[in-house]
Amino acid sequence: MNKSFLKFLTDFGPLVIFFYYYYDSGKDLKIAIPPFIIATIIALAIVWFLEKKIPKVPLLSGILITFFGGLTLSFEDEFFIKIKPTLLSGLFALVILAAQMLGKQPMKVLLGKQISLTTKGWKYLALVWVSMFIVTAIANEIAWRTLSTDAWVSFKAFGLTG
C-alpha cells in the first residue's frame, strides 16, 4: 500500500469514522466518541507498526482525544470534548513560546529537514505558529460557547482543521 495514502488514512480516518457515527446516530456524541477513540488508537498503532515510532503531535492528540472523550462519556457532558481543541492549541502555543524564550528553535526541529531558514526566519515562523494556535484556541472557545453541538462539530472538523 502507498505510504503517503496510509499516512493520509491514519491522519483522517478516525475523523471520517467519527463523522459517520455522529451523523448515522442522529448527531449523538455519545455514539460517535467510542469509535473515534478506537479508530485513533488503531491509527496510532498502525503508525507505530510502520515507523517504529509515533510522532509527538499525533500521540498527544490521541491521548487528549481518549482522555477528553472518556470524560465526555463518563460525565455525559459535551463540555469536555469541546474544550479539547482549545487546550491542545493553547498547549502547543505555550510549548513553542517557552522553547523560544529558552533560546531553542522548535520549528527548526520539526521542519528543519523540509525547509531552510535563517535564525531570524525560524524565530518568525515560531511566532506565526504561536499566533495561529492562539487564534485557533480563541476561535474554538467562541464556537463551542455560541454554536449548537452540530454546528460546533462542523466548525471543528472543517474550520479548525483547515
Side-chain angles (χ1 to χ4, degrees), residues 77-86 137-149 151-152 155:
D77 190 345
E78 298 172 353
F79 165 79
F80 296 105
I81 200 73
K82 289 179 177 181
I83 64 163
K84 182 199 75 76
T86 300
I138 292 169
N140 186 65
E141 280 300 298
I142 293 168
W144 81 261
R145 291 172 188 269
T146 61
L147 300 174
S148 68
T149 296
W152 175 81
F155 168 80

CSV table of all heavy atoms in Angstrom, one decimal, residues 77-86 137-149 151-152 155:
chain,number,residue,atom,x,y,z
A,77,ASP,N,-21.3,14.9,29.5
A,77,ASP,CA,-21.2,16.3,29.3
A,77,ASP,C,-20.3,16.7,28.1
A,77,ASP,O,-19.1,16.3,28.2
A,77,ASP,CB,-20.6,17.0,30.6
A,77,ASP,CG,-20.7,18.5,30.6
A,77,ASP,OD1,-21.0,19.1,29.6
A,77,ASP,OD2,-20.6,19.0,31.7
A,78,GLU,N,-20.9,17.3,27.1
A,78,GLU,CA,-20.1,17.6,25.9
A,78,GLU,C,-19.0,18.6,26.1
A,78,GLU,O,-18.1,18.8,25.3
A,78,GLU,CB,-21.1,18.2,24.9
A,78,GLU,CG,-22.2,17.2,24.4
A,78,GLU,CD,-23.2,17.8,23.6
A,78,GLU,OE1,-23.2,19.1,23.4
A,78,GLU,OE2,-24.1,17.1,23.0
A,79,PHE,N,-19.1,19.3,27.3
A,79,PHE,CA,-18.0,20.3,27.6
A,79,PHE,C,-16.6,19.8,27.4
A,79,PHE,O,-15.8,20.5,26.8
A,79,PHE,CB,-18.2,20.8,29.0
A,79,PHE,CG,-17.1,21.6,29.6
A,79,PHE,CD1,-16.9,22.9,29.3
A,79,PHE,CD2,-16.2,20.9,30.5
A,79,PHE,CE1,-15.8,23.6,29.8
A,79,PHE,CE2,-15.1,21.6,31.0
A,79,PHE,CZ,-14.9,23.0,30.7
A,80,PHE,N,-16.4,18.6,27.8
A,80,PHE,CA,-15.0,18.1,27.8
A,80,PHE,C,-14.5,17.9,26.4
A,80,PHE,O,-13.3,18.2,26.2
A,80,PHE,CB,-15.0,16.7,28.6
A,80,PHE,CG,-15.3,16.9,30.1
A,80,PHE,CD1,-16.5,16.5,30.6
A,80,PHE,CD2,-14.4,17.5,30.9
A,80,PHE,CE1,-16.8,16.7,31.9
A,80,PHE,CE2,-14.7,17.7,32.3
A,80,PHE,CZ,-15.9,17.3,32.8
A,81,ILE,N,-15.3,17.3,25.5
A,81,ILE,CA,-14.8,17.1,24.2
A,81,ILE,C,-14.7,18.5,23.4
A,81,ILE,O,-13.8,18.7,22.6
A,81,ILE,CB,-15.6,16.1,23.4
A,81,ILE,CG1,-14.9,15.5,22.2
A,81,ILE,CG2,-16.9,16.7,22.9
A,81,ILE,CD1,-13.8,14.6,22.5
A,82,LYS,N,-15.5,19.4,23.8
A,82,LYS,CA,-15.5,20.7,23.2
A,82,LYS,C,-14.3,21.6,23.6
A,82,LYS,O,-13.8,22.4,22.8
A,82,LYS,CB,-16.8,21.5,23.4
A,82,LYS,CG,-18.0,20.9,22.7
A,82,LYS,CD,-19.2,21.6,23.0
A,82,LYS,CE,-20.4,21.1,22.3
A,82,LYS,NZ,-21.7,21.8,22.6
A,83,ILE,N,-13.7,21.4,24.8
A,83,ILE,CA,-12.6,22.2,25.2
A,83,ILE,C,-11.2,21.6,24.7
A,83,ILE,O,-10.2,22.2,24.8
A,83,ILE,CB,-12.5,22.5,26.7
A,83,ILE,CG1,-12.4,21.2,27.5
A,83,ILE,CG2,-13.7,23.3,27.1
A,83,ILE,CD1,-11.9,21.4,28.9
A,84,LYS,N,-11.3,20.3,24.3
A,84,LYS,CA,-10.0,19.7,23.8
A,84,LYS,C,-9.2,20.5,22.8
A,84,LYS,O,-8.0,20.7,23.0
A,84,LYS,CB,-10.3,18.3,23.3
A,84,LYS,CG,-9.0,17.6,22.9
A,84,LYS,CD,-9.2,16.4,22.0
A,84,LYS,CE,-9.5,16.8,20.6
A,84,LYS,NZ,-8.4,17.2,19.7
A,85,PRO,N,-9.9,21.0,21.7
A,85,PRO,CA,-9.1,21.8,20.8
A,85,PRO,C,-8.5,23.1,21.4
A,85,PRO,O,-7.4,23.5,21.0
A,85,PRO,CB,-10.1,22.2,19.7
A,85,PRO,CG,-11.2,21.2,19.8
A,85,PRO,CD,-11.3,20.8,21.3
A,86,THR,N,-9.2,23.7,22.3
A,86,THR,CA,-8.7,24.9,23.0
A,86,THR,C,-7.5,24.5,23.8
A,86,THR,O,-6.4,25.2,23.7
A,86,THR,CB,-9.8,25.5,23.9
A,86,THR,OG1,-10.9,25.8,23.2
A,86,THR,CG2,-9.2,26.7,24.7
A,137,ALA,N,-7.3,28.6,19.4
A,137,ALA,CA,-7.9,28.4,20.7
A,137,ALA,C,-9.1,29.4,21.0
A,137,ALA,O,-10.1,29.0,21.5
A,137,ALA,CB,-6.8,28.5,21.8
A,138,ILE,N,-8.9,30.6,20.7
A,138,ILE,CA,-9.9,31.6,20.9
A,138,ILE,C,-11.1,31.3,20.0
A,138,ILE,O,-12.3,31.4,20.4
A,138,ILE,CB,-9.4,33.0,20.6
A,138,ILE,CG1,-8.4,33.4,21.7
A,138,ILE,CG2,-10.5,34.1,20.5
A,138,ILE,CD1,-7.6,34.7,21.3
A,139,ALA,N,-10.9,30.9,18.7
A,139,ALA,CA,-12.0,30.6,17.8
A,139,ALA,C,-12.8,29.4,18.3
A,139,ALA,O,-14.0,29.4,18.3
A,139,ALA,CB,-11.4,30.3,16.4
A,140,ASN,N,-12.1,28.4,18.9
A,140,ASN,CA,-12.8,27.3,19.4
A,140,ASN,C,-13.6,27.7,20.6
A,140,ASN,O,-14.8,27.2,20.8
A,140,ASN,CB,-11.9,26.1,19.8
A,140,ASN,CG,-12.7,24.9,20.2
A,140,ASN,OD1,-13.4,24.3,19.4
A,140,ASN,ND2,-12.6,24.5,21.5
A,141,GLU,N,-13.1,28.5,21.5
A,141,GLU,CA,-13.8,29.0,22.6
A,141,GLU,C,-15.1,29.7,22.2
A,141,GLU,O,-16.2,29.4,22.8
A,141,GLU,CB,-13.0,29.9,23.5
A,141,GLU,CG,-12.0,29.1,24.4
A,141,GLU,CD,-12.7,28.2,25.4
A,141,GLU,OE1,-13.5,28.7,26.2
A,141,GLU,OE2,-12.5,27.0,25.3
A,142,ILE,N,-15.0,30.6,21.3
A,142,ILE,CA,-16.2,31.3,20.8
A,142,ILE,C,-17.2,30.3,20.2
A,142,ILE,O,-18.4,30.4,20.4
A,142,ILE,CB,-15.8,32.4,19.8
A,142,ILE,CG1,-15.0,33.5,20.5
A,142,ILE,CG2,-17.0,33.0,19.1
A,142,ILE,CD1,-14.3,34.5,19.6
A,143,ALA,N,-16.7,29.4,19.4
A,143,ALA,CA,-17.6,28.5,18.6
A,143,ALA,C,-18.3,27.6,19.6
A,143,ALA,O,-19.6,27.5,19.5
A,143,ALA,CB,-16.7,27.6,17.7
A,144,TRP,N,-17.6,26.9,20.5
A,144,TRP,CA,-18.4,26.0,21.4
A,144,TRP,C,-19.3,26.6,22.3
A,144,TRP,O,-20.3,26.1,22.8
A,144,TRP,CB,-17.5,25.0,22.1
A,144,TRP,CG,-16.8,25.4,23.3
A,144,TRP,CD1,-15.5,25.8,23.4
A,144,TRP,CD2,-17.3,25.4,24.7
A,144,TRP,NE1,-15.2,26.1,24.8
A,144,TRP,CE2,-16.3,25.8,25.5
A,144,TRP,CE3,-18.5,25.0,25.2
A,144,TRP,CZ2,-16.5,26.0,26.9
A,144,TRP,CZ3,-18.7,25.2,26.6
A,144,TRP,CH2,-17.7,25.6,27.4
A,145,ARG,N,-19.0,27.9,22.6
A,145,ARG,CA,-19.9,28.6,23.6
A,145,ARG,C,-21.1,29.3,22.9
A,145,ARG,O,-22.1,29.6,23.5
A,145,ARG,CB,-19.1,29.7,24.3
A,145,ARG,CG,-18.1,29.2,25.3
A,145,ARG,CD,-17.2,30.3,25.8
A,145,ARG,NE,-16.1,29.7,26.6
A,145,ARG,CZ,-16.2,29.5,27.9
A,145,ARG,NH1,-17.3,29.8,28.6
A,145,ARG,NH2,-15.1,29.0,28.5
A,146,THR,N,-21.0,29.4,21.5
A,146,THR,CA,-22.1,30.1,20.8
A,146,THR,C,-22.9,29.3,19.8
A,146,THR,O,-24.0,29.7,19.4
A,146,THR,CB,-21.6,31.4,20.1
A,146,THR,OG1,-20.6,31.0,19.2
A,146,THR,CG2,-21.0,32.4,21.1
A,147,LEU,N,-22.3,28.2,19.4
A,147,LEU,CA,-22.9,27.3,18.4
A,147,LEU,C,-23.6,26.1,19.0
A,147,LEU,O,-23.2,25.7,20.1
A,147,LEU,CB,-21.9,26.9,17.4
A,147,LEU,CG,-21.1,27.9,16.6
A,147,LEU,CD1,-20.0,27.3,15.7
A,147,LEU,CD2,-22.1,28.8,15.7
A,148,SER,N,-24.5,25.6,18.2
A,148,SER,CA,-25.1,24.3,18.6
A,148,SER,C,-24.0,23.2,18.5
A,148,SER,O,-23.0,23.4,17.9
A,148,SER,CB,-26.3,23.9,17.7
A,148,SER,OG,-25.8,23.6,16.4
A,149,THR,N,-24.2,22.1,19.1
A,149,THR,CA,-23.2,21.0,19.0
A,149,THR,C,-23.0,20.6,17.6
A,149,THR,O,-21.9,20.4,17.2
A,149,THR,CB,-23.7,19.8,19.9
A,149,THR,OG1,-23.7,20.2,21.3
A,149,THR,CG2,-22.7,18.6,19.7
A,151,ALA,N,-23.4,22.4,14.9
A,151,ALA,CA,-22.6,23.4,14.2
A,151,ALA,C,-21.1,23.4,14.7
A,151,ALA,O,-20.2,23.6,13.9
A,151,ALA,CB,-23.2,24.8,14.4
A,152,TRP,N,-20.9,23.2,16.0
A,152,TRP,CA,-19.6,23.1,16.5
A,152,TRP,C,-18.8,21.9,15.9
A,152,TRP,O,-17.6,22.1,15.5
A,152,TRP,CB,-19.6,23.0,18.0
A,152,TRP,CG,-18.2,22.8,18.5
A,152,TRP,CD1,-17.2,23.8,18.8
A,152,TRP,CD2,-17.5,21.6,18.9
A,152,TRP,NE1,-16.1,23.2,19.2
A,152,TRP,CE2,-16.2,21.9,19.3
A,152,TRP,CE3,-17.9,20.3,18.8
A,152,TRP,CZ2,-15.3,20.9,19.6
A,152,TRP,CZ3,-17.0,19.3,19.2
A,152,TRP,CH2,-15.7,19.6,19.6
A,155,PHE,N,-17.7,23.0,12.5
A,155,PHE,CA,-16.7,24.0,12.7
A,155,PHE,C,-15.4,23.4,13.1
A,155,PHE,O,-14.3,23.7,12.5
A,155,PHE,CB,-17.1,25.1,13.8
A,155,PHE,CG,-15.9,25.9,14.2
A,155,PHE,CD1,-15.6,27.0,13.4
A,155,PHE,CD2,-15.3,25.7,15.4
A,155,PHE,CE1,-14.5,27.8,13.8
A,155,PHE,CE2,-14.2,26.5,15.8
A,155,PHE,CZ,-13.8,27.6,15.0
